[in-house]
Amino acid sequence: MPRVILSSPDQRALLRLEPDPDGQWWTFHHAHQPDRPAWYASFGARTPVELIAAFTDTLTSPAADPADDWDPLEPLRTSGWSPAYSHDRLASADGTIRVEVNETTGCWWVGAALDRTGPPLWQARFGEHTPPHLITAFTTALTDPSPVLRTATVVTSPPGTRISSPSRGGKSPPRRSPPPWKNASTPSPPAAPARR
């Protein structure tokens, strides 16, 4: 399986990409600095790219001010997310996305499922020292109501579950069971012309 490791010019930040459909694909590690302990963030294979981009864009933006007083839970509260179990655990209105902050360690876990009781479809994790402005960028993107561009595809994940995603302004493809290509016969390749 391929693996990519990128480092910042000053060697303090490391991005590791290790494709594993059930694990964390993207892992960021940042070394200790005089004013901040080392930190990490990781994103699972199916984490929406818009959420990862919000995090990385803020990480590399010279305009982002990590010194500001950031509250990563504020975008969730403002969007009407409700407490789930405690004040450090919030759930989306439909209950399919949960954000949890471990009260003991300060680590964050974000997960999305197809329903309230299903296994996570994707997840993101942030260490206790991950800068709050980066987590806030992620939670802001997570609550953004704007439609996202998707092509019409069928995704199978978790196994046995079909999800249809329409493109912006398009219609969902009709649900078929089994998919039409499963029963279609494969035509034989044309015979090669005879040599003379």
Side-chain angles (χ1 to χ4, degrees):
M1 183 153 298
R3 184 172 93 179
V4 176
I5 299 174
L6 302 171
S7 64
S8 62
D10 64 3
Q11 302 293 307
R12 290 185 183 201
L14 181 73
L15 166 62
R16 181 183 303 261
L17 175 60
E18 295 186 88
D20 176 358
D22 297 317
Q24 299 299 96
W25 272 41
W26 300 80
T27 304
F28 294 89
H29 289 277
H30 200 284
H32 164 267
Q33 291 181 301
D35 60 338
R36 177 170 300 281
W39 59 267
Y40 78 92
S42 64
F43 305 96
R46 297 173 195 94
T47 304
V49 67
E50 295 83 5
L51 304 179
I52 299 171
F55 182 91
T56 57
D57 289 352
T58 304
L59 175 66
T60 59
S61 171
D65 186 0
D68 284 346
D69 189 25
W70 297 91
D71 178 5
L73 293 175
E74 186 59 31
L76 306 173
R77 289 187 199 109
T78 302
S79 296
W81 287 43
S82 59
Y85 311 116
S86 77
H87 69 282
D88 288 332
R89 296 179 184 170
L90 295 175
S92 60
D94 63 2
T96 59
I97 304 175
R98 294 188 180 272
V99 175
E100 300 181 16
V101 182
N102 185 301
E103 296 171 6
T104 305
T105 65
C107 294
W108 290 67
W109 181 86
V110 181
L114 294 177
D115 58 49
R116 293 175 190 260
T117 60
L121 182 62
W122 62 262
Q123 58 184 312
R125 300 174 188 157
F126 303 101
E128 66 178 310
H129 300 297
T130 303
H133 75 290
L134 300 177
I135 303 172
T136 302
F138 182 90
T139 58
T140 299
L142 184 62
T143 59
D144 185 348
S146 303
V148 294
L149 181 61
R150 295 287 187 263
T151 58
T153 60
V154 176
V155 179
T156 304
S157 183
T161 305
R162 292 186 58 204
I163 308 164
S164 295
S165 303
S167 60
R168 184 184 294 184
K171 293 183 177 180
S172 295
R175 291 188 175 267
R176 297 180 180 114
S177 188
W181 59 86
K182 292 267 185 175
N183 294 332
S185 60
T186 306
S188 300
R195 292 191 150 180
R196 295 184 192 190

